[in-house]
């Protein structure tokens, strides 16, 4: 799920206000989401009528992500194209297929199965940028992969969902394509444009953006949980088991692919998070719009769990030194003052 946008490095070696705010926000996000989920579960009648606003809330989150991106974030893709492409291909191949594997192994009910697969077909979640930074990984590469996967999502997400989930339920490819363009691509582009023409203003408000994004995400989760409150008591444990398995497999595959390609440790850490952490907010929104409230439940649960697992793994990585980072990594991370992140 998208998470709190943030600059991920600083030129003077000390995290600026936006960095600190993002780190705190991504740490507090699971707590906010749990509280929102509990409220949605206990007061479903209060939140269910708000379902039509989910699309707008996600658009707001993606707009905030666009505000944190700068032109160098896009040029970095061109400088290391094959590694960025490797990350995106691994994500859009591994996570959808792992979702199908989880669905098959656990014999999930139809609606939950579609929700798990949809999470796997979503682009990378931007919380991956923050946890990569915390894990001493290649932050600039993480931002590049998140940006590229988000730009490709309007085509790949509905296409992969149609392929893998089409046997479970009807998948409206073109409607999903238009919806993702409206709620993801357009807000991100608008955010980038605003950043270009009003960079000083954006810099002033950047410490607040992670918290606004976190509130918007919690708002989405409360509505999604409210819509499936009646099913949580019976399906909640099964959904949690499926989500945890999916996420951990994704983290492992991302790291394993990078290791198999003999990439350095910072890159391995970045790819682990890029593959394992998904934009579950988008998955929940699409599931609510085109399938059912129950299909949106895996996305809501993923939004909580992947922040927990990401933070824990980042803490483990950060405590495992790998020697002096290559000079090019230092240069890239030092330059990445406008890195976007929200998971």
């Amino acid at each position: 799920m998208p998470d709190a946008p943030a600059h991920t490095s600083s030129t003077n070696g000390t995290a600026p206000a936006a960095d600190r705010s993002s780190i705190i926000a991504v740490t507090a996000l699971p707590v906010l989401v749990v509280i929102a989920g509990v409220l949605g579960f206990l007061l479903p009648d209060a939140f269910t009528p708000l379902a039509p606003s989910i699309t707008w809330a996600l658009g707001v989150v993606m707009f905030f992500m666009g505000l944190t991106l700068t032109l160098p974030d896009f040029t970095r893709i061109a400088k290391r194209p094959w590694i960025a492409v490797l990350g995106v291909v691994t994500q859009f191949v591994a996570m959808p297929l792992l979702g199908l594997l989880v669905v098959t192994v656990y014999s999930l009910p139809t609606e939950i199965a579609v929700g798990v697969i949809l999470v796997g077909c979503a682009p990378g979640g931007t919380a991956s940028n923050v946890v990569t930074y915390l894990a001493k990984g290649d932050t600039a590469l993480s931002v590049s992969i998140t940006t590229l996967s988000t730009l490709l999502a309007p085509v790949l997400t509905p296409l992969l969902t149609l392929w893998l989930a089409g046997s479970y339920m009807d998948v409206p490819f073109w409607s999903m394509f238009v919806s993702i363009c409206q709620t993801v691509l357009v807000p991100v582009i608008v955010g980038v444009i605003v950043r270009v023409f009003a960079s000083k203003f954006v810099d002033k408000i950047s410490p607040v953006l992670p918290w606004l994004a976190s509130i918007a995400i919690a708002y989405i989760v409360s509505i999604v949980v409210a819509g499936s409150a009646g099913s949580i008591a019976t399906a909640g444990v099964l959904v949690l088991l499926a989500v945890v398995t999916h996420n951990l497999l994704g983290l492992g595959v991302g790291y394993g692919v990078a290791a198999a390609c003999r990439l350095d440790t910072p890159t391995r850490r970045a790819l682990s998070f890029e593959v394992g952490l998904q934009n579950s907010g988008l998955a929940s929104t699409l599931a609510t719009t085109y399938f059912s409230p129950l299909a949106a439940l895996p996305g809501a649960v993923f939004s909580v769990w992947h922040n927990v697992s990401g933070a824990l793994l980042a803490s483990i990585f950060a405590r495992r030194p790998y020697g002096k980072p290559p000079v090019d990594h230092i240069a890239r991370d030092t330059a990445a003052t406008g890195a976007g992140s929200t998971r």
Side-chain angles (χ1 to χ4, degrees):
M1 173 170 282
D3 301 275
H7 295 294
T8 52
S9 61
S10 68
T11 56
N12 61 8
T14 303
D19 284 3
R20 293 193 298 271
S21 184
S22 291
I23 294 170
I24 295 172
V26 80
T27 303
L29 181 59
V31 177
L32 292 176
V33 171
V34 168
I35 293 174
V38 170
L39 290 176
F41 179 75
L42 296 177
L43 304 170
D45 293 338
F47 291 95
T48 302
L50 301 175
S53 66
I54 288 181
T55 300
W56 291 99
L58 179 61
V60 168
V61 175
M62 300 313 298
F63 171 71
F64 290 155
M65 175 186 173
L67 288 179
T68 64
L69 295 176
T70 62
L71 295 180
D73 294 326
F74 295 93
T75 59
R76 273 191 292 271
I77 298 176
K79 291 180 179 179
R80 302 181 75 197
W82 83 268
I83 297 181
V85 170
L86 174 67
V88 172
V89 170
T90 302
Q91 178 181 54
F92 278 120
V93 171
M95 288 304 282
L97 293 180
L98 288 174
L100 183 62
L101 175 64
V102 168
V103 164
T104 303
V105 170
Y106 291 132
S107 299
L108 298 179
T110 297
E111 292 173 294
I112 296 177
V114 171
V116 171
I117 292 173
L118 188 53
V119 169
C121 296
T126 48
S128 59
N129 307 149
V130 174
V131 292
T132 297
Y133 172 70
L134 296 177
K136 303 183 188 304
D138 189 337
T139 307
L141 176 64
S142 175
V143 172
S144 297
I145 296 175
T146 299
T147 302
L148 187 56
S149 68
T150 299
L151 295 176
L152 293 173
V155 173
L156 293 183
T157 295
L159 186 64
L160 291 169
T161 304
L162 176 63
W163 175 42
L164 298 175
S167 61
Y168 291 92
M169 299 178 70
D170 290 333
V171 177
F173 172 84
W174 287 110
S175 296
M176 289 179 65
F177 171 80
V178 174
S179 180
I180 296 174
C181 286
Q182 292 174 336
T183 60
V184 175
L185 197 58
V186 172
V188 168
I189 292 174
V190 172
V192 171
I193 293 173
V194 172
R195 171 79 188 216
V196 170
F197 290 99
S199 59
K200 292 184 179 180
F201 173 74
V202 173
D203 287 340
K204 289 181 180 180
I205 66 172
S206 59
V208 181
L209 295 181
W211 292 101
L212 295 178
S214 296
I215 292 171
I217 294 165
Y219 175 79
I220 293 172
V221 169
S222 66
I223 298 172
V224 170
V225 171
S228 55
S231 304
I232 290 179
T234 55
V237 174
L238 184 61
V239 171
L240 178 61
L241 180 62
V243 164
V244 170
T245 302
H246 194 189
N247 170 242
L248 294 182
L249 287 174
L251 291 170
V253 168
Y255 194 94
V257 168
C261 293
R262 298 185 177 182
L263 300 176
D264 56 38
T265 299
T267 302
R268 295 179 188 185
R269 295 177 180 183
L271 260 63
S272 178
F273 291 123
E274 284 304 315
V275 175
L277 305 185
Q278 297 292 92
N279 189 334
S280 47
L282 173 62
S284 294
T285 301
L286 293 174
T288 300
T289 304
Y290 296 107
F291 300 112
S292 70
L294 185 56
L297 187 57
V301 175
F302 202 99
S303 70
V304 180
W305 170 252
H306 81 161
N307 282 283
V308 173
S309 66
L312 290 175
L313 184 57
S315 177
I316 294 172
F317 280 155
R319 288 172 171 77
R320 295 175 64 87
Y322 50 79
K324 185 178 179 181
V327 174
D328 60 333
H329 283 285
I330 297 175
R332 276 195 308 275
D333 285 342
T334 300
T337 56
S341 74
T342 66
R343 8 303 245 299

